[in-house]
Each structure stands twice: as structure tokens, then as C-alpha cells.
Amino acid sequence: MAEISDVYFIDGMRTPFGRAGEKGMYWNTRADDLAVKATIGLMERNADVPAERIDDVAIAATSQTGEQGLTLGRSVAILAGLPQTVPGFAIDRMCAGAMTSVAMMGASIGSGMYDVALAGGVEHMGHYPIGGNTDPNPRFVAERMVDPGALNMGVTAERIFDRFPQLTKERSDRFGMLSQHKAQAAYDAGRFQPDLVSVAIKDAEGSWGLATEDEGRRPQTTMADLAALKTPFRPHGRVTAGTSSPLTDGATMSLVAGGHAVKEFGLKPKMRMVSFAFAGVQPEIMGIGPIPSTEKALKKAGLRIEDIGLFELNEAFAVQVLSLLDHFGIADDDPRVNPWGGAIALGHPLAASGVRLMIQLAAQFAERPDVRYGLTAMCVGLGQGGSVIWENPHYAGKKR
């Protein structure tokens, strides 16, 4: 008989993130192969988990076509050498794809249906630009269900500025600059490297190389640099390339398990799932989505925002993160928030990013036994938000 179980984030790994486009390091690499590399790296690092005991493989992609089609969870599992008895499926919740993969696998484990699962995401935005192969239903606009601007993420970010005048361009620029500086400091300290899977890459001349680091970082960024950038989404606007996540290619994969499997295989969890929630908002201003999803997740966990000691917030746009911080009364430069930088510096391969947040939070938990709870949260296209609250197994304080 199935039993209710705790859900644990055992481990996570990812490929280095590359700039999308012909000049990016993954231009000659297939999307599914990126997911395969992340899967193989994760399974090799967790050899105590028998591959045949993986109950399911959930892999997300926003553009589920071409290399990102063919039921990714299943096809990647086969390509990664997992036993053919291991099933898999694909998920799409745009930017929160990998986060949804983890949440759904976590729910399956928590209800006792699964013991161990793989959950992740991949996005090759160079081969499959966002919205490039979609055909939005004309009713969206004809019946005024959704404003046309809702399908352009940059436009929705500009509208956050419109709604919240206190969110100035200067604040946004400073947040974007600090993301770059913090990410480079974390690289210099060797914090990212243990969880990166190296990927063999081939350039336009046919020469082979190795991708070992995130490609899009700009650590020398200054406020003056950002002030001079164009505003592509609106004349005299406030959203620039320096305060937006770049177009990115990459893949992430995580291993989640229940309490029984942790004991059976002698696993050492990096985090325990406390709660998760998804919420909808107006598509025209999708960036505020993590606010209601975080409120829901906190309520389900019986926690307050003050209980959260570390925040890993996806930086789709700087202003989107600032809107959440303002809502909860958190300072722009609060050291609990994205201490190793975020997507503005590292990149945002859409459906892969949720697990990147979890990988970073798990690594920070190991360094911070004084912190009990952490939050991973992100906005989602078409007006959604996703949040997952985690508990630190290394917490050294008094548990209530």
C-alpha cells in the first residue's frame, strides 16, 4: 500500500549555459544531447541509485518541436542509457517547465506512487526561438482575452514599471549590474563549477572544444554601461539588454526521491521539499506572477516571508524581481537574495531554469547551516508564477 512520504532534492547538475545564436557555443549541438549530458552526469555522480529504479523522467521544453520534441523524457532517457523499462514524458509551462517537472515528480513521490525520479528541462533558444513555431489563437486578441503585448515578455516587463512608479530604471540597472558582479565572484570562488557537466562542442570550422563555463557573463558591467543601452521594447523605455536575461541554450537535471529510497540507497538529501504553488495573473503583466504563487506556497507551508533565509529568484528581468522584493518589503541588495547572481548574468534557457535555481539553493544550504528555509521562484509567460519552498537538512538551529 502506498504511503505518504517526504520529498527530497537529492542532487542536480546542469550544462554550462551558452549564448543563443550562430555565435553561441551550442550552435552545432542538439538540444536533446544537452539534456542527455546533464542526465548522464547526474546519474554518474549518484551511482548508488540503480538506474532501473528510476520511476519516471520528466523533462520540460517550451518549444516542443524538432530536437525538443519526441516526448523528451522518454527519448532522453533512452539516449542517456537508462534501461528501457524507465518511462518518461515532456512538460511545458514555459519558463517554469523544469520547476513544474520537479513539482509533479515531487507530488508523485509524496503521494507514494513513485520512489525516485528525474526532473529537469532544456531549451535551445538558438535553434528554437521563443514563439517561433507557435500560432496563438486569434480569439485571444479578437475577444480581448489577452492584449497583444502579453506575448512579448519585454513589453510585459515595461508594464511593471508603468504599474509601480517606485521601480525606477536606476534601481533596475543597479540590480542587473550586481547580478553580473555576484555571478563572477561566485565563479572566482569555485561555487558553480562542481555542478556543471562539461559538454563537447564543435565550431563552424569543425574544430572540437569543451564547454565548461556559462558563456554570457559580463562581469565588467558598470552603471554607465547600462545607462547607455537602448530600450528595444519601447521608445524611451526602461528595459534594456543589461537588465534582461539573455537568450540562452542549456539543460538541467535533478534527482528527487522519497524517504524510503533515501534510506534504502543511503542517500544524502540536499533539500527537503516543504511546499510548492503556481498562480495566474494578468498575461499583460506576467512578471508579478511569483508574488501570488509565493503567498500560496507560504500559506501551504505555514510560514511567513520572514522565515525564508535564502531566495533564488529567476531574473527574467530585473524589474520583475524588484516587484516581488518590494511587495514583501525586502531591500534590493538584501544578501539573502540571489547571492551568487542570477539569470541576467548566467542566462535563462527558459524551461531549464527552475532546476538551476534549485541547484544553487542546495549548494548555498550546504554553506549556511544557520538558514532553515529557502525559496525558488519565477515568473512565467502568459501570466503565471511558480514557487517552491525548501528546508535545509544542514540546519543547525532549533527546530520547532
Side-chain angles (χ1 to χ4, degrees):
M1 181 178 293
E3 297 181 1
I4 300 299
S5 172
D6 280 333
V7 179
Y8 297 98
F9 182 96
I10 304 302
D11 199 8
M13 297 191 77
R14 66 178 178 90
T15 68
F17 290 170
R19 292 180 185 141
E22 292 185 31
K23 296 181 180 179
M25 61 187 183
Y26 292 138
W27 182 248
N28 294 311
T29 304
R30 288 178 60 99
D32 48 8
D33 283 337
L34 291 175
V36 167
K37 289 295 293 185
T39 303
I40 292 174
L42 182 63
M43 291 302 294
E44 287 181 346
R45 195 161 80 173
N46 293 273
D48 289 340
V49 178
E52 67 272 12
R53 290 292 299 278
I54 302 295
D55 287 303
D56 216 341
V57 180
I59 300 181
T62 301
S63 299
Q64 296 198 9
T65 186
E67 302 155 23
Q68 296 181 176
L70 199 62
T71 313
L72 273 171
R74 176 60 171 168
S75 59
V76 167
I78 293 173
L79 290 165
L82 296 180
Q84 294 191 5
T85 53
V86 176
F89 65 107
I91 281 181
D92 173 21
R93 200 197 297 265
M94 294 192 180
C95 300
M99 178 175 282
T100 303
S101 297
V102 172
M104 296 302 99
M105 293 299 91
S108 298
I109 290 168
S111 64
M113 298 298 106
Y114 289 174
D115 294 314
V116 188
L118 295 177
V122 63
E123 207 76 53
H124 200 307
M125 300 183 74
H127 293 177
Y128 304 102
I130 184 170
N133 194 33
T134 60
D135 181 18
N137 195 300
R139 290 181 56 215
F140 277 139
V141 176
E143 299 181 20
R144 298 184 179 179
M145 296 177 181
V146 175
D147 184 278
L151 302 178
N152 184 312
M153 301 300 103
V155 171
T156 68
E158 287 283 7
R159 287 173 176 168
I160 299 179
F161 280 115
D162 296 340
R163 179 171 293 195
F164 304 109
Q166 75 274 18
L167 302 179
T168 63
K169 183 178 185 298
E170 182 181 2
R171 286 178 64 186
S172 178
D173 285 355
R174 187 169 300 280
F175 189 91
M177 178 187 71
L178 291 177
S179 179
Q180 297 284 358
H181 295 177
K182 290 189 290 185
Q184 188 58 45
Y187 254 104
D188 292 343
R191 287 180 158 129
F192 290 117
Q193 291 89 331
D195 298 317
L196 296 178
V197 178
S198 297
V199 179
I201 53 175
K202 185 167 62 173
D203 64 22
E205 285 71 43
S207 299
W208 287 92
L210 200 63
T212 61
E213 294 189 356
D214 299 310
E215 186 180 26
R217 310 192 313 278
R218 298 179 183 275
Q220 307 305 320
T221 298
T222 66
M223 289 292 285
D225 294 333
L226 296 177
L229 294 177
K230 296 179 180 179
T231 58
F233 304 109
R234 179 188 294 178
H236 310 294
R238 287 153 288 191
V239 178
T240 70
T243 56
S244 309
S245 56
L247 302 179
T248 312
D249 307 329
T252 60
M253 188 58 63
S254 68
L255 177 68
V256 288
H260 178 74
V262 166
K263 292 179 181 178
E264 181 180 358
F265 304 128
L267 305 178
K268 295 181 179 179
K270 294 185 174 181
M271 302 192 291
R272 184 182 72 86
M273 182 183 288
V274 178
S275 68
F276 67 82
F278 296 91
V281 296
Q282 287 178 286
E284 293 83 357
I285 190 169
M286 65 93 194
I288 64 172
I291 294 173
S293 64
T294 296
E295 290 176 333
K296 287 174 68 174
L298 287 167
K299 184 176 181 181
K300 291 177 183 295
L303 299 173
R304 301 173 301 164
I305 197 69
E306 292 79 12
D307 295 315
I308 305 300
L310 285 168
F311 295 80
E312 276 297 325
L313 308 175
N314 191 48
E315 300 168 357
F317 301 93
V319 68
Q320 170 262 315
V321 178
L322 294 175
S323 69
L324 183 145
L325 298 182
D326 267 23
H327 178 84
F328 288 109
I330 300 170
D332 297 4
D333 59 353
D334 191 307
R336 297 173 297 168
V337 177
N338 294 6
W340 298 354
I344 290 172
L346 303 172
H348 174 28
L350 300 184
S353 285
V355 166
R356 195 269 301 169
L357 301 175
M358 297 169 194
I359 291 170
Q360 284 183 214
L361 179 62
Q364 291 158 25
F365 271 171
E367 295 184 1
R368 297 288 305 275
D370 58 310
V371 171
R372 183 172 183 186
Y373 296 109
L375 171 73
T376 53
M378 60 202 315
C379 62
V380 189
L382 282 183
Q384 300 182 81
S387 303
V388 187
I389 295 174
W390 302 92
E391 184 177 29
N392 185 1
H394 310 288
Y395 177 62
K398 184 178 179 181
K399 295 187 177 182
R400 61 192 183 193

